[in-house]
Amino acid sequence: MKRREFLKISTALGGAAVLPSALLSGCAAPPSPPGSGKVTTTPTICEMCFWKCAGFVHKEDGEPWKVVGNPEDLHSHGRLCTRGTGGLGAFLDPDRLKRPLLRVEHKGKQSFREVSWDEALDYTAERLKRIAIEYGPESLALFSQCVGAQHFRHLARAYGSGSFAQPDYAQCRAAREVGFFLTYGETIGGQERTDMANSRCIVLIGTHIGENLHNEQVRTFTEAVGKGATIITVDPRFSVAASKSKYWLAIRPGTDLALLLAWMHVLVTEGLYDKDYVARYALGFEELAKHVAGHTPEWAYLETGIEPEIIRRTAREMAAQAPATLVHPGRHVAWYGDDTQRVRAVAILNALLGSWGRKGGLYIPEQVELPEYPLPAYPEPKTTWQDAHGGKYPFAYSGVTNELIGQSSGPDARYKAWLVYEANLPVSVPAVTEQIRRAAADLELCVVVDTMPMEVTGYADVVLPECTYVERHDPLRNDPQRRPSLALRVPAFEPQYDTRPGWWIARELGLRLGLEKWFPWKEYREVLDWQLQQVGSSLAEMERIGLKGFPRRNAEYIAPGEDYSFPTPSGKIELYSRQLEEEGFDPMPRYTPPEDTPAGFYRLIYGRMPAHSFGRTTNNPLLFQVMPENCVWVNSLTASDWKLANGTYVRLKNQDGVVSNRVRLRVTERIGPDAVYLVHGFGHRTPRLRLTDEVGASDTELITHIRIDPIMGGTGMRSNFVTFVTEEA
Ligand SMILES: Nc1nc2c(c(=O)[nH]1)N[C@H]1C(S)=C(S)[C@@H](COP(=O)(O)OP(=O)(O)OC[C@H]3O[C@@H](n4cnc5c(=O)[nH]c(N)nc54)[C@H](O)[C@@H]3O)O[C@H]1N2
Ligand SMILES: Nc1nc2c(c(=O)[nH]1)N[C@H]1C(S)=C(S)[C@@H](COP(=O)(O)OP(=O)(O)OC[C@H]3O[C@@H](n4cnc5c(=O)[nH]c(N)nc54)[C@H](O)[C@@H]3O)O[C@H]1N2
Ligand code: SF4
Ligand SMILES: [Mo]
């Protein structure tokens, strides 16, 4: 076959685009009130985002009815968000992948052919075997996310690969984890250990809770607001959280570190920090005091645009409520390329307030001690993702997507095969369009396991359609949290069409690759039951209750005056980081101003909205109805300069000349005149997503410039500027 062309899965393969009438609001009234038939409930874990709420799928007379939260679950507190409630839309989406697809070439033209599972799996395994012989198993790169990623990580490790990467590392929260790890010896974790329900003061830096809709985060934030906590929101945009705040600090984008240093300056110079906590637990206070001495609020004003008096007043409010003051660690922190240092400043500020390990600050989470199913050790790969980094990013704890993608083409390509599970790389990893194209042309094999015909499938040789989360078993959820618990996902429905669960796909590939000793079980249920038996439960019990709580072993807070050791090299909170210094980085967070905005351009910022998760839900027929397109937020002064009217369509053009799809204008005072805002996840370009193809603008396409964090490889994505193209829009 000639070089791999980007293929859009054609509509012809998919069948008619008829939505089940029950999904269309206002259509045929149900024959009887919901719930009056025979109702069955099955435990599930929501897969509509990464938060993993436990819940139940309700069927009525065998038909899908609704998904609800499990009241025992701290992630959800019994309530699912908009997207979780729309979860059945993923199951019912008529545009789902339905059968395995194989890239074929006929008379020089490439297309996908529907094939049997045997043909797709035999083909994949045969290629993988050849690749292992010719290039070594290390030449396989795995991109995978979410709960089901474990099945494919297991397969890849048994095969002999050691190269793993995922967009929720470099494009998401990794700088936060590294920043906190360097300071406290522990990360924040996928389920933030924030004790907001008990906070009396919460500081949100960027993080836009309420639009960013992780259930427990929203619930505990709301509880704090309800109890009258002081909320301080730092955001160039008047976010939903800003609207609940006593202080909205409309910061100049990219200058947050200046504000953080000035806050520390106030706490230190006014003696408002927690002296006992710092003396007892922290190392490097003297150096910190020296470092922040020059960072006065007056200095920060020139950088941030926030008045010195407001900086002082907010610092004093934080101190007044400490240690029940939480400076929220944020989540998506891949902003400006100095993100580990900015997050380090957040970590240090929390230490000055004495809030780590304290009620109302950051509590100490625990998880269940759950044994792994006994299996032989994996082969030791000769090279791993660390070699792909080539000595860069010394504090990385996972592969950086961009590096692995970049090393998948050309004569010296490190990677010859890709296995992609639940990651839409062309949409989730900005600024690599060309590298993805080159990789796709050069790879010996590209396998994509997905539920939808997303952009990433266009680069595949083989597309393996996974059934949706309500049709499968998956690994037990065992997240570190306030009260340890295990949660289970079991299928509520048989896999529809010719789709299969991830565990089955991984196992079938494993058997064909001669890796049967790593797959001694027939059904994943056996693994789940074995694990549950070890902790005094069983699959039968969990199939009934869905979630089981376990007692904590240790306290969730550090007691006042407790002799407590932190898992850092010094055993202390490292305000001054020798670890960074030894690798040649600034031991204290040092501020560098952002670049100037070119004349006639506006900084592109982006974020979330409650109805959607990234690009994965925009075609969901239920959620599409809630929010069918995104719009671009533009300040009214900017709009009047450009003579742009609210509600009309424009295109955005970035500093490199890339032009977006048409996108509707939202003229508003809620954003300053120096930036524009887009909700991420729209602007799909794949006709097989029939509701959402070409609808709205893609922030990813406009993010052609990234700033890489030298400490851990995070890809700062907020150094892009756009202007308006108004003709024919
Ligand atoms: N509904 C919904 N909820 C989600 C998700 C989803 O897809 N949909 N995704 C989840 C995931 S994985 C993540 S990582 C989180 C992401 O959610 P967050 O961690 O909250 O994301 P951020 O990028 O921190 O926040 C975006 C906000 O930052 C502001 N901002 C832009 N530039 C700057 C700046 O220079 N300084 C400051 N202070 N603020 C700035 C924007 O105006 C916007 O309000 O959301 C999670 N929750
Ligand atoms: N431009 C830009 N880029 C970003 C962000 C941004 O705000 N702007 N946010 C970043 C952040 S914070 C994150 S966490 C990442 C998220 O990155 P991704 O997780 O890659 O984002 P999604 O668009 O949700 O893509 C998930 C893919 O999984 C598929 N999928 C959904 N459910 C299943 C399933 O059950 N099984 C299988 N096999 N596949 C499934 C979807 O169809 C889709 O192809 O993106 C990052 N990239
Ligand atoms: S926060 Fe919403 S989408 Fe995410 S897991 Fe929970 S219910 Fe599902
Ligand atoms: Mo994320």
Side-chain angles (χ1 to χ4, degrees):
M1 194 186 291
K2 63 181 181 179
R3 288 158 80 88
R4 200 174 280 107
E5 294 161 0
F6 177 72
L7 284 184
K8 295 178 176 180
I9 293 174
S10 77
T11 324
L13 290 176
V18 183
L19 287 184
S21 59
L23 289 185
L24 299 171
S25 61
C27 293
S32 52
S36 52
K38 183 173 178 300
V39 175
T40 50
T41 62
T42 317
T44 191
I45 297 169
C46 180
E47 184 80 9
M48 301 301 285
C49 84
F50 298 141
W51 196 255
K52 296 180 269 175
C53 293
F56 294 99
V57 177
H58 289 241
K59 291 194 288 189
E60 182 172 8
D61 296 328
E63 293 296 313
W65 177 19
K66 62 179 179 181
V67 197
V68 299
N70 183 332
E72 299 299 315
D73 180 27
L74 295 185
H75 287 31
S76 72
H77 243 244
R79 300 172 76 169
L80 302 185
C81 75
T82 328
R83 301 159 298 154
T85 306
L88 286 176
F91 167 70
L92 295 163
D93 192 331
D95 291 345
R96 275 175 64 171
L97 290 170
K98 299 186 174 81
R99 276 166 274 283
L101 301 172
L102 193 64
R103 180 183 293 261
V104 291
E105 188 170 323
H106 183 64
K107 294 189 176 158
K109 199 172 166 340
Q110 296 183 7
S111 63
F112 282 121
R113 180 162 65 82
E114 287 184 349
V115 293
S116 67
W117 276 99
D118 272 338
E119 187 173 350
L121 294 165
D122 287 346
Y123 175 91
T124 306
E126 181 270 318
R127 285 283 185 109
L128 280 173
K129 272 192 203 159
R130 228 181 46 217
I131 288 165
I133 294 166
E134 265 179 58
Y135 307 102
E138 295 82 2
S139 65
L140 169 70
L142 171 71
F143 302 91
S144 65
Q145 284 190 155
C146 290
V147 196
Q150 284 183 43
H151 303 302
F152 292 88
R153 177 75 71 106
H154 174 60
L155 173 70
R157 293 187 70 186
Y159 174 75
S161 160
S163 285
F164 316 117
Q166 57 280 332
D168 76 351
Y169 175 83
Q171 281 72 39
C172 177
R173 63 191 169 88
R176 177 188 80 176
E177 307 303 8
V178 173
F180 271 82
F181 184 78
L182 286 167
T183 314
Y184 293 94
E186 283 183 40
T187 60
I188 294 294
Q191 261 64 32
E192 284 88 11
R193 43 163 78 196
T194 49
D195 195 18
M196 282 191 282
N198 293 310
S199 301
R200 290 198 298 269
C201 175
I202 298 173
V203 185
L204 298 179
I205 299 173
T207 189
H208 54 329
I209 295 174
E211 290 154 293
N212 148 7
L213 212 67
H214 279 168
N215 271 349
E216 192 183 352
Q217 290 285 304
V218 180
R219 184 183 63 76
T220 51
F221 177 69
T222 311
E223 200 174 325
V225 171
K227 287 197 238 165
T230 302
I231 312 295
I232 300 166
T233 297
V234 184
D235 197 312
R237 190 177 63 95
F238 189 68
S239 61
V240 171
S243 73
K244 311 291 172 208
S245 302
K246 178 165 174 187
Y247 297 94
W248 169 41
L249 278 47
I251 195 164
R252 204 177 128 233
T255 64
D256 298 75
L257 185 46
L259 173 66
L260 288 157
L261 292 168
W263 272 336
M264 294 195 240
H265 172 96
V266 177
L267 295 184
V268 170
T269 55
E270 297 190 7
L272 296 175
Y273 63 98
D274 188 331
K275 298 191 189 69
D276 177 66
Y277 185 94
V278 167
R280 205 180 281 278
Y281 301 126
L283 199 71
F285 179 76
E286 293 305 314
E287 288 92 337
L288 175 69
K290 211 155 34 155
H291 182 67
V292 300
H295 294 312
T296 61
E298 285 69 22
W299 165 81
Y301 172 52
L302 298 177
E303 297 298 325
T304 61
I306 301 167
E307 284 174 23
E309 189 41 37
I310 297 290
I311 297 178
R312 289 204 167 82
R313 216 189 298 161
T314 44
R316 289 172 195 149
E317 289 237 13
M318 286 182 226
Q321 304 298 343
T325 295
L326 172 76
V327 186
H328 196 288
R331 186 175 179 103
H332 171 71
V333 292
W335 295 1
Y336 298 101
D338 60 350
D339 303 304
T340 305
Q341 292 289 16
R342 185 186 67 253
V343 177
R344 273 259 303 148
V346 171
I348 295 171
L349 182 56
N350 277 300
L352 290 181
L353 295 162
S355 64
W356 177 276
R358 292 286 189 71
K359 193 168 180 181
L362 295 127
Y363 67 84
I364 304 166
E366 280 188 4
Q367 62 185 155
V368 181
E369 284 177 333
L370 182 71
E372 290 292 327
Y373 188 84
L375 289 171
Y378 297 118
E380 198 60 49
K382 288 195 202 73
T383 58
T384 68
W385 56 266
Q386 268 146 326
D387 298 282
H389 292 180
K392 289 183 287 185
Y393 325 132
F395 294 97
Y397 62 88
S398 175
V400 170
T401 35
N402 303 54
E403 288 290 341
L404 271 59
I405 291 169
Q407 294 181 41
S408 300
S409 59
D412 303 323
R414 178 182 293 275
Y415 300 108
K416 298 290 179 184
W418 282 5
L419 177 53
V420 185
Y421 176 84
E422 198 163 344
N424 193 10
L425 302 178
V427 173
S428 312
V429 188
V432 289
T433 317
E434 201 35 50
Q435 285 96 316
I436 291 183
R437 258 188 224 131
R438 265 189 263 143
D442 285 7
L443 286 170
E444 301 278 322
L445 178 69
C446 179
V447 184
V448 173
V449 185
D450 208 300
T451 50
M452 293 292 297
M454 292 289 180
E455 283 80 351
V456 66
T457 57
Y459 296 98
D461 297 295
V462 192
V463 180
L464 301 177
E466 190 177 26
C467 55
T468 62
Y469 70 101
V470 293
E471 304 160 270
R472 65 185 199 234
H473 284 103
D474 261 321
L476 288 162
R477 189 195 81 187
N478 183 16
D479 290 332
Q481 52 176 344
R482 186 187 298 276
R483 177 164 49 80
S485 70
L486 295 177
L488 177 67
R489 171 185 286 163
V490 294
F493 307 96
E494 286 294 310
Q496 303 290 292
Y497 314 106
D498 203 5
T499 63
R500 295 283 189 278
W503 64 260
W504 182 92
I505 300 171
R507 181 171 183 274
E508 288 294 321
L509 284 172
L511 298 184
R512 283 169 170 77
L513 288 165
L515 306 173
E516 47 282 303
K517 68 176 172 172
W518 283 283
F519 297 92
W521 39 271
K522 282 207 170 55
E523 300 272 332
Y524 196 67
R525 297 167 51 89
E526 296 164 44
V527 177
L528 295 169
D529 195 42
W530 183 90
Q531 283 189 296
L532 287 164
Q533 300 277 355
Q534 310 309 304
V535 293
S537 180
S538 66
L539 188 58
E541 182 191 35
M542 286 293 282
E543 279 173 344
R544 234 178 334 103
I545 57 179
L547 181 135
K548 194 175 169 80
F550 290 78
R552 283 188 69 96
R553 295 176 297 280
N554 295 299
E556 61 197 277
Y557 304 117
I558 303 172
E562 184 181 334
D563 192 11
Y564 190 88
S565 175
F566 290 80
T568 53
S570 64
K572 301 266 185 192
I573 302 170
E574 302 196 341
L575 307 179
Y576 183 94
S577 177
R578 287 220 188 288
Q579 298 186 75
L580 282 174
E581 189 175 41
E582 277 160 17
E583 292 291 345
F585 299 114
D586 288 319
M588 307 294 316
R590 192 167 54 84
Y591 174 70
T592 37
E595 66 279 73
D596 289 332
T597 306
F601 281 79
Y602 308 88
R603 190 180 289 271
L604 173 69
I605 59 176
Y606 53 81
R608 312 282 172 236
M609 91 72 71
H612 290 295
S613 290
F614 319 105
R616 75 169 61 189
T617 59
T618 45
N619 202 70
N620 175 308
L622 296 174
L623 299 173
F624 174 82
Q625 294 180 66
V626 183
M627 185 190 182
E629 64 180 334
N630 65 352
C631 49
V632 56
W633 293 40
V634 176
N635 180 268
S636 45
L637 291 176
T638 312
S640 79
D641 283 352
W642 283 82
K643 302 193 171 45
L644 296 171
N646 189 34
T648 53
Y649 283 90
V650 289
R651 288 174 198 272
L652 302 173
K653 183 162 93 176
N654 83 350
Q655 73 281 341
D656 294 325
V658 173
V659 179
S660 75
N661 271 349
R662 61 205 282 277
V663 58
R664 198 189 283 275
L665 272 171
R666 172 171 179 172
V667 177
T668 173
E669 302 294 331
R670 288 177 58 184
I671 189 163
D674 49 355
V676 300
Y677 179 78
L678 272 183
V679 167
H680 168 64
F682 284 87
H684 278 293
R685 293 188 193 268
T686 155
R688 190 60 183 77
L689 300 175
R690 280 170 287 184
L691 291 177
T692 197
D693 179 36
E694 304 284 345
V695 176
S698 157
D699 62 334
T700 304
E701 288 180 5
L702 296 166
I703 301 174
T704 48
H705 182 247
I706 49 171
R707 282 174 178 263
I708 302 195
D709 189 324
I711 297 175
M712 43 56 72
T715 57
M717 315 199 287
R718 289 195 179 146
S719 296
N720 292 267
F721 302 94
V722 295
T723 188
F724 303 101
V725 181
T726 51
E727 60 279 353
E728 69 75 44

